[in-house]
Structures are given as C-alpha cells and as structure tokens.
Amino acid sequence: MCGWPLLLLWALLPGAAAGGSGWTFPHRTLLDSEGKYWLSWGSRDGRLAFRLEVRTAGYVGFGFSPTGAMAAADIVVGGVAHGRPYLQDYFTNANRELKKDTQQDYHLQYAMENSTHTVIEFTRELHTCDINDKTITESTVRVIWAYHREDVGEAGPQYHSSSRGTKSLRLLNPEKTSVLSTSTPYFDLVNQDVPIPNKGTTYWCQMFKIPVFQEKHHVIKVEPVIQRGHESLVHHVLLYQCSSNFNDSVLDYGHECYHPNMPDAFLTCETVIFAWAIGGEGFSYPPHVGLSLGTPLDPRYVLLEVHYDNPTYEEGLIDNSGLRLFHTTDIRKFDAGVIEAGLWVSLFHTIPPGMPEFRSEGHCTLECLEEALEAEKPSGIHVFAVLLHAHLAGRGIRLRHFRNGEEMRLLAYDDSFDFNFQEFQYLKEEQAILPGDNLITECRYNTKDRARMTWGGLSTRNEMCLSYLLYYPRINLTRCASIPDIMEQLQFIGVKEIYRPVTTWPFIIKSPKQYKNLSFMDAMNKFKWTKKEGLSFNKLVLSLPVNVRCSKTDNAEWSIQGMTALPPGIERTYKAEPLVCASPSSSLYSSFCPKVLTCFVALGSMLSSLHLWS
C-alpha cells in the first residue's frame, strides 16, 4: 500500500487535527478582500510549500503570472471531489487559453474539504526547467488566485467569473519573525485628520517629538498604521531624524512637504531612520540590532513624510495613518543605521520617451564610503536589509556591490519590480561594506507609453532610483548618492550654450537657435527621440562623470560632497550560480493506491458533518 497518501487519509478522520499536514508555514497572507482566500507558504527541503484555505466546496486555483493577468501564467488547480483529492498543473498561453501541462510539477501533500472550506497543501521546486512554469526567485512574484463552487470536471475548470484576483509577494524573503509579548510597549507616530487634496500626488510632513526616556531604549519592530480603506492611498512613509534644537512649537501643525511655505524646521530633517512602502508589512529588527532612542545621539524630534497617491483626484479624503514603534529596555548589541544610496532626486535624472528599456545608475562612490568608514568604522558595517524604491516606470532594481574592481554578490535585487509592492528585503546573510567598496543602484525603466521625457522627481509620474540600506553599527553617514552631469546630456541633443549666470530654474538655453530661450526641460522634450537615439543616449549617460553626494546627520557633509567622480572601472562582474533543474515529476506524486482512494470515497460522506473551521 502507498505510504504518503495515508497523511491525506488521516487528515480526513474525525479525530484528526484541523491543522493539516503538521507543517508550519512562516508566511501567511489574505489574498482577497472578503476573507475567503488565505495563502500560507514557506521553504521545505529546497522547495516551496504552499497551503491554500478557501471558503468553497469546489476547485481552488493558484498560480504565477508575469503581469498579474491570466496570459502566460503558471497555474495549479486542486480540491477534493467525491472524497478524492486532486491537484493538476496547468498553464496559459498568450491568448489566455488554459492547457494541462504535460510535466506535472506541483506535488500534493494534504487535502481536506468540509461543508464550507477546501484546504490543500502542495510543494513545488523553485526551478523546474519546464518552459510552461515560472522560476521563483527573490524578485517580486505576482500571484494569481481563483476559486469556483464546482470541482473540476472532465472538460476542465469552469470559468471563475469574479472570484479571482492578484497580489504581489516576495515568496523567498527570509522574514525574521519575532513574536512580541502583548505587553511590549509602543508609541504611535500617526497623522491626525490630514485633508488630502484632490490632486495626484501629495507629500505631507508632520513633526513629532519622541517620548522622553530616562534610559536608552531600542526599537525592535515597526508596523504601518494605515487607516482602513486607505491601503492604496498611502503609498510610502519615511521617518526622518531632525535637529534637536527646537521647542515643541514645531509640533503644532503639519504642512505639504517641499512647498515654498514649508516651515524652516522641516529642512533640518535629512536623516532617514525608517522607510515603509505600499504592500509592505511590519518590520522586525534582527535579535542583535535595534534602533536606538533616548541617548544624546538619538532623535528627539522626527518628521513623518507620507506620500499620498490619489490618481482619480478624489475629494474630501481625510487620513489618519502613520507608524507604530515597539521598543524595549533590553538593549541589543548594536545600534541600527540607515543609508540612502542611489540617484539624488533631481531633474538631472532623465529618461527619454518611447523606450522599452532604459537603465539609470546611482553611485555610492568609493570616495564617499572610504572617507566615512575610515573616520567612523574602518572595520566596516554590516547590511541586513534593503528597500529598493522607484516609481511607475520602474521595472527592475539591483543593488550592486564592488570591491577592488570585482563585483560581489548582489546586495538586493527585484527583477519584477511592482510600484504597488515595496518592502524591506531581509538579506539571507549579512553583507559587509568596507572602506574602498562602492555600490551602484541600477534601475530599469519602461517608457513605451510616454510621449514626453520622464524626470527625476517626487511625483509618481516622475522617477526615483534609490536603495535604503539597514545596517549596523550606526555611523555618521546618511546619504551616499550621485547626480549625473547635465551639460553633457544637453550636448547630446545639440545644446551649445546656456544663459549665465543661472538666475532661473529650470535654466534657459541660449543657443542653438532651435532651442533659444527654452528651458532645458522644454528642449529635451522638443528633441525628436527615437529608440536608436534613446539607446545612444543611455550609453552616454552611464559613462558620464557624477557629482558626489555624501551627507552626515544635521545637514552636515563629508568633504567629498560636491566633487566629481567617474563611474568605477569594473574588471570582473559577478556570475550567479547556474540554475539547477529538478528531476522530472515522479509518479509517486501523481498516483494514488486504489485501496486508499476507496477509503476516500467511503469517508466522503463524513466531510459534510465534520466542522473543522471556527
């Protein structure tokens, strides 16, 4: 008699626990908005194991898609019909036609159905070498899901209608979960009744005073506090450390960030100490690291910057969102710091229209890291998590790491970047940054649907290319970034001279005639961009000298700030280990013993009376 289906049989017996196979799943998320479809997952012997809990007595569908739609998707469908469990591997072509895969790569481990729910557990290799399957990597994965009240028949699954959806996840993020005591103290930094203007993008800034502690505390976890119903409105939240030389009058009001009338006190808030973005969940610091509060070096005043995305210009919105910080007096070994690396946000970051792919690079230069680390921590710092950030045109981001001209393992990457899902990636292993290293934040963009230039800026229609590195021990370095030279970019389109001294912004072009008296932005838009011109421009931009940004806390700067550096010479790029195919599916996973199947039929009548759900 076959051994492995006995687990399925045991799960259906009246005395069986409702938990399933007995496996633990470290990750769990709700996929739909009605609480009907739960996904749990985790690593299991080099594979990924999944558990689907769905309020249906019919089939359950799950899969991976390059865009979140049905086209070119990798799909598995399972359930329990007449007491018999089933799991079938499907795929769709570019026309969304569903076809059964000749290579069955999903392996059923457990199945249960009662009068209200279906539960199935299964495993899959990360890389199957099946051309109809999607390889699962550390990048964002667009999960698709569906269910139906009927099981799969001879003709295949019936159309799911509106019982479907998509959600972006990072399936291989090795989340450092820590169970906090219910008595763990916390405080909230939350906006109070902020009126959201009826415009696409709003950045709202509000200063807060950190609670006064009589001794040092460590923040050990940060959670978003998002007003119910505003999950898509609140796009990201940044928390900055501000100057300590204020009185509490700065706390009296908030204001739009980056506005001419913004309070001067806000301008002192330059050091990012935490970042959260849409789709992300709570963040737990590793057990040996915490965010320090309560000492003279720690923030007394902080600025909460919330980016609201209101593309439909909805009126009358009032928001009360922010962050919750859990803290402890059980001090950990190291204080955490944050470095913002990449491209300084400015109009000098330029992306031509109509480009299926355009690459930008922001440099955390050898010169900046060497000066800061030699002065603060010659033995180096240790990075343990990274948040990669871009806007709507972003398609992929990589944080590359170089030492002595040789590229090391990527610090972080997301080759399937989703603007609506950005969270800190925990590194599988901490990575040391030493004096003399340099980092490149590399961003890929797609502007095929745009007729005008895309500029670096704050709006979601503008672009960014940033990495936020969480590391320890904390040093006095908050920003390590670069700005590409703008004059050589303008020379590419034929600009010869600008009006000097520069008295207006954006500055004005003097010659040649076709650009005379135009701003440099208007001139770039007037240029006739073709794909060929865009590719040549991209090659030029990646080779240009960069202006170094190398900042300390309290608006101070390292001496390298403002100097010009060349992109690093790369002697050897990093070669990732080749993907290894799993062995073809074993018949062990695709067949059942007749005796056990007979038992399933006999036990089928029990399922309607078993109540395994609370």
Side-chain angles (χ1 to χ4, degrees), residues 179 211-212 377 536 542:
V179 179
V212 177
K377 194 68 178 176
S536 298
L542 294 176

Side-chain angles (χ1 to χ4, degrees), residues 29-96:
T29 188
L30 181 65
L31 295 187
D32 72 327
S33 61
E34 299 178 352
K36 295 181 178 180
Y37 199 126
W38 284 92
L39 166 68
S40 303
W41 76 95
S43 181
R44 189 83 64 235
D45 299 325
R47 298 180 167 197
L48 269 184
F50 299 92
R51 175 183 171 95
L52 309 179
E53 305 168 39
V54 187
R55 184 180 287 273
T56 184
Y59 77 74
V60 174
F62 177 79
F64 313 109
S65 163
T67 63
M70 279 292 290
D74 173 9
I75 296 169
V76 63
V77 177
V80 180
H82 310 296
R84 299 188 180 203
Y86 62 91
L87 191 75
Q88 298 167 351
D89 187 350
Y90 289 88
F91 68 94
T92 57
N93 58 22
N95 296 321
R96 299 183 297 175

Side-chain angles (χ1 to χ4, degrees), residues 27 138 170-178 220-223 274 280-289 332 383-388 409-413 423-431 468 470:
H27 305 274
E138 294 176 29
R170 190 166 286 109
L171 296 175
L172 300 187
N173 196 359
E175 184 175 354
K176 305 294 189 299
T177 55
S178 60
I220 56 176
K221 185 174 184 178
V222 184
E223 288 183 348
F274 189 75
E281 298 179 348
F283 180 86
S284 297
Y285 287 85
H288 54 297
V289 185
R332 297 175 172 189
V383 179
F384 59 87
V386 174
L387 185 144
L388 304 171
R409 186 176 71 247
L410 288 169
L411 272 166
Y413 71 93
E423 66 175 357
F424 272 106
Q425 300 181 30
Y426 295 96
L427 273 59
K428 288 183 177 178
E429 296 179 358
E430 295 175 356
Q431 205 153 325
Y468 292 97
L470 281 177

